[in-house]
Amino acid sequence: MMTVFYIVMGGDEALRYYMEAYLSIRTFQKQLSPEIGRICVITDHPSFFSKAGVEVITITAEQKAEWMGSHHFFFRTKIKGMEYLHSLYPEDNLLYLDSDTFLYGHLSDLKKRLDEGHGLMHRREGKLTGISHTAKRLWKKAAGHKYGDITIGEQHHMWNAGVVGLPSQKISETVASALALCDGMLNDGNNEFITEQYSYSIALAEHTSLVATSDLIGHYWGNSMEWRDKAFEVFTYAYLNDFSLEEELQTLDIDKLCEIPYFVHRSSTAGKLHRLIDRLFKVRESKSVKNECV
């Protein structure tokens, strides 16, 4: 059995992430069967998933704080969530997904890789020294340090953690290593937002035969705005037509989704010009009925 799960938290200010998660869930539900597994969502707003057709697990504020740890590092919850799901379903293979993902390959192929004992992440990004300034800062502080029983070295590449899959027999040791790595780096002042990502990358490489899933799962972190517009379009259409879950799944066109770029390189100069224009040409007047009624 495979349990696919998401962690989505935050209130009204995070609605875009819930909309993304709904779209991702629907792409998996199109192929889901009892023989393959289940879908779970860990959230602090369970009512937002009342119509998702998935198992909803409510996390309390106290539990969320404990998962974030003493450094209040939000991304640590991705490791603790895996640990928690394993306690609920110890026989299941687990597949974590960021909300900005979608399934375009065969779900059975993902299950097969986990059944064969492989660890899964989205794709290998390479050595930290060649990725970004943030990655270089992390490497400078972490290189050569030992956390748990692992010494960080150049053999440890960064993988994209939009997907993290573990076979059931490897979950306990891999999650323990990821937590030791994450907490060790945080204790050393390495609180970059990619610290959890690197921890998972190292732990899975050490404890599993790690393979990519980019041939089956898309991850559109590099074009979020266009994908959010698409998610809004999909669910507005379903709402206006009062579709059932089955009708939503029938009308969701995965081929059309695959036509949307998952990454778009936008000019930084264009962004600067837009911000400059906004500063130079400010809104001169705005009206609302609330102001007129005062």
Side-chain angles (χ1 to χ4, degrees):
M1 179 74 85
M2 176 174 65
T3 294
V4 176
F5 76 98
Y6 301 78
I7 300 174
V8 192
M9 289 187 265
D12 293 347
E13 76 285 356
L15 288 178
R16 62 186 184 274
Y17 300 118
Y18 291 93
M19 189 165 59
E20 288 177 351
Y22 256 87
L23 182 59
S24 181
I25 288 167
R26 293 294 188 254
T27 65
F28 277 80
Q29 285 174 324
K30 280 183 74 73
Q31 299 184 43
L32 193 67
S33 67
E35 294 75 28
I36 291 179
R38 64 173 67 85
I39 298 176
C40 296
V41 177
I42 299 173
T43 182
D44 55 356
H45 280 70
S47 62
F48 287 178
F49 290 98
S50 61
K51 298 181 179 180
V54 300
E55 180 178 332
V56 180
I57 299 173
T58 304
I59 183 172
T60 64
E62 293 76 18
Q63 196 173 11
K64 178 180 175 181
E66 190 273 323
W67 285 12
M68 291 172 64
S70 58
H71 294 278
H72 308 290
F73 185 62
F74 176 78
F75 296 103
R76 188 176 183 268
T77 63
K78 288 173 62 173
I79 306 175
K80 292 295 291 183
M82 182 76 76
E83 181 183 63
Y84 182 68
L85 261 294
H86 184 53
S87 72
L88 296 180
Y89 306 112
E91 303 300 321
D92 284 13
N93 300 326
L94 297 180
L95 182 68
Y96 164 82
L97 297 164
D98 278 353
S99 61
D100 55 352
T101 57
F102 66 101
L103 178 68
Y104 70 92
H106 293 294
L107 184 56
S108 59
D109 288 342
L110 283 169
K111 183 177 184 297
K112 181 180 178 182
R113 292 176 192 182
L114 289 170
D115 288 341
E116 291 174 346
H118 292 292
L120 309 178
M121 295 187 75
H122 188 247
R123 67 169 74 235
R124 187 174 68 86
E125 297 180 345
K127 293 183 178 181
L128 267 67
T129 51
I131 299 176
S132 65
H133 293 301
T134 302
K136 289 176 182 178
R137 288 197 303 268
L138 191 155
W139 173 254
K140 187 175 181 180
K141 291 182 180 180
H145 287 232
K146 185 175 183 179
Y147 303 111
D149 59 352
I150 298 174
T151 301
I152 296 179
E154 291 192 1
Q155 75 276 21
H156 295 126
H157 290 193
M158 179 71 88
W159 286 65
N160 186 293
V163 179
V164 182
L166 283 170
S168 59
Q169 67 272 22
K170 293 288 186 177
I171 294 175
S172 293
E173 59 181 341
T174 307
V175 167
S177 286
L179 276 175
L181 287 157
C182 186
D183 289 344
M185 284 189 276
L186 290 172
N187 289 336
D188 286 345
N190 225 333
N191 59 350
E192 307 291 349
F193 73 94
I194 58 173
T195 299
E196 158 271 328
Q197 179 183 345
Y198 195 41
S199 301
Y200 256 142
S201 300
I202 296 171
L204 267 75
E206 288 281 338
H207 294 287
T208 73
S209 172
L210 181 55
V211 297
T213 59
S214 53
D215 60 328
L216 302 171
I217 297 174
H219 188 199
Y220 56 83
W221 60 270
N223 189 24
S224 295
M225 290 180 62
E226 189 172 355
W227 275 87
R228 287 170 185 165
D229 287 345
K230 184 61 178 179
F232 179 80
E233 174 190 315
V234 167
F235 291 111
T236 300
Y237 186 75
Y239 173 79
L240 292 176
N241 283 284
D242 195 23
F243 281 164
S244 65
L245 173 57
E246 291 73 21
E247 289 169 328
E248 281 192 51
L249 297 179
Q250 289 172 5
T251 56
L252 182 62
D253 191 334
I254 301 299
D255 288 338
K256 287 289 185 182
L257 292 182
C258 290
E259 294 174 1
I260 306 171
Y262 64 82
F263 179 82
V264 175
H265 178 73
R266 292 182 171 86
S267 169
S268 60
T269 302
K272 292 175 183 177
L273 287 174
H274 280 299
R275 289 191 290 274
L276 176 61
I277 290 171
D278 287 341
R279 288 198 299 269
L280 293 176
F281 300 95
K282 296 180 179 179
V283 175
R284 293 184 177 182
E285 184 179 11
S286 65
K287 295 180 179 180
S288 69
V289 293
K290 182 176 181 180
N291 292 336
E292 291 180 353
C293 292
V294 173

